[in-house]
Amino acid sequence: MFVAGRKRKLAAEPRQTPGPRGAPLVPTREAEINRWYVLGRENFRERQYRNALDYYNRAVALAANESIRDAKLYVARAHTLYKLRELTRALSDAKEATRINAGLSAGYICLASILTDMGKPEEAFAAVKQGLGLADIHASEYKHLQLLCSSLSLRLDPTRQPIRESDTDPVTRLPADLVVLALRLLDTRMLSICRGVSTRWLHVIDNTPVLWSRPCYLVDSPAHKLARELPAYSKAQKRMGLRYPPKPWRPCSHVRDLS
């Protein structure tokens, strides 16, 4: 009777083919190469890149001895070397993969990623363009290749303007009333964190009394002591006719002191 562990062990072992009569059974070379490849892929998924590289090296060496040229082995090893930041060796394997199988999208994706990290975006873009012309359009990686081509073309566009902070800052782009409504949803600790984002945020938070017009924090907390030093807090307290310290209160259930 076989147990589950025994079945898994047998499934992981390479298939064996009968030799001449009286000779022992020997595993096929293709099955042994695939076994090393599967073990390398499992270690790569677990981020054990050194172990994965060792298995891929065995698979590539065995394939070379048997004159088997499989592009997926070189792509897998190139990707592993890329994770280990051995870019020169990874580049060599990626180029070899594209020479063996010119229609393999994964080879061009790996090659372009390595060239980009090496500071050669022009060569990466040329590799991607070559891959788009040769790769199978029905492959699962073809769409990724198209996205990579678009990204590199934008990066190499000479008319592209650099992104400024004001183009992405919501405090600058949104109307002032919407900014205040969004900031009023934050408690005092989060407001104090937002004060450190930029000088624009600091100016808006410190000079908007409505943000401090209602208690949303515990009285003796460090965040409350910080709030008392802001000009907007004193303006809000004067507007409400309150004096420090305010009357003790209990915060609502959805309000917590995060300090």
Side-chain angles (χ1 to χ4, degrees):
M1 179 177 180
F2 291 99
V3 297
R6 178 61 176 168
K7 288 183 179 179
R8 285 196 300 268
K9 183 177 179 181
L10 291 175
E13 293 178 352
R15 293 180 301 173
Q16 295 180 341
T17 55
R21 179 172 297 182
L25 299 178
V26 295
T28 60
R29 293 304 184 187
E30 292 82 0
E32 191 171 355
I33 293 171
N34 186 67
R35 175 170 174 262
W36 295 127
Y37 173 76
V38 171
L39 289 173
R41 188 171 57 183
E42 291 175 355
N43 280 268
F44 184 88
R45 289 175 179 173
E46 296 175 359
R47 300 184 180 182
Q48 302 293 330
Y49 299 128
R50 285 295 176 187
N51 295 338
L53 179 61
D54 182 51
Y55 289 123
Y56 288 143
N57 285 336
R58 296 183 186 184
V60 170
L62 185 58
N65 291 337
E66 298 297 324
S67 299
I68 300 174
R69 295 171 60 81
D70 193 347
K72 72 176 184 180
L73 299 178
Y74 288 93
V75 171
R77 190 169 70 172
H79 199 185
T80 306
L81 290 168
Y82 174 73
K83 290 292 185 180
L84 294 171
R85 310 309 298 168
E86 299 183 23
L87 299 182
T88 304
R89 294 177 58 192
L91 180 62
S92 176
D93 276 357
K95 289 182 177 179
E96 183 65 23
T98 56
R99 280 194 293 265
I100 295 173
N101 186 355
L104 187 62
S105 302
Y108 295 102
I109 293 172
C110 187
L111 178 60
S113 301
I114 296 168
L115 288 171
T116 302
D117 275 22
M118 294 179 72
K120 302 176 181 179
E122 295 84 2
E123 296 183 23
F125 182 69
V128 171
K129 293 291 288 185
Q130 180 184 1
L132 288 174
L134 298 176
D136 182 11
I137 62 174
H138 301 292
S140 58
E141 298 91 354
Y142 192 81
K143 189 173 182 180
H144 187 188
L145 199 61
Q146 291 177 320
L147 294 175
L148 189 57
C149 181
S150 301
S151 175
L152 288 171
S153 63
L154 286 175
R155 180 173 179 176
L156 296 173
D157 186 4
T159 62
R160 181 190 176 196
Q161 297 294 331
I163 299 177
R164 297 173 300 178
E165 181 182 356
S166 59
D167 295 336
T168 57
D169 189 358
V171 172
T172 304
R173 294 179 60 88
L174 293 177
D177 53 347
L178 291 182
V179 172
V180 172
L181 286 175
L183 292 175
R184 290 198 70 185
L185 299 176
L186 305 178
D187 59 12
T188 310
R189 177 168 175 77
M190 295 307 298
L191 283 176
S192 63
I193 294 175
C194 290
R195 292 175 71 246
V197 173
S198 65
T199 54
R200 174 66 178 170
W201 286 54
L202 178 66
H203 176 77
V204 170
I205 294 174
D206 287 3
N207 295 278
T208 307
V210 70
L211 296 178
W212 314 97
S213 61
R214 59 185 177 87
C216 60
Y217 38 80
L218 297 179
V219 173
D220 294 325
S221 64
H224 186 198
K225 296 177 182 178
L226 171 65
R228 284 188 295 131
E229 300 176 359
L230 303 180
Y233 178 82
S234 58
K235 293 178 182 178
Q237 298 302 305
K238 290 179 181 178
R239 180 179 300 179
M240 296 175 62
L242 298 177
R243 294 178 305 172
Y244 183 82
K247 183 171 63 176
W249 63 284
R250 291 184 179 180
C252 300
S253 58
H254 66 281
V255 178
R256 297 184 300 143
D257 179 41
L258 301 179
S259 59

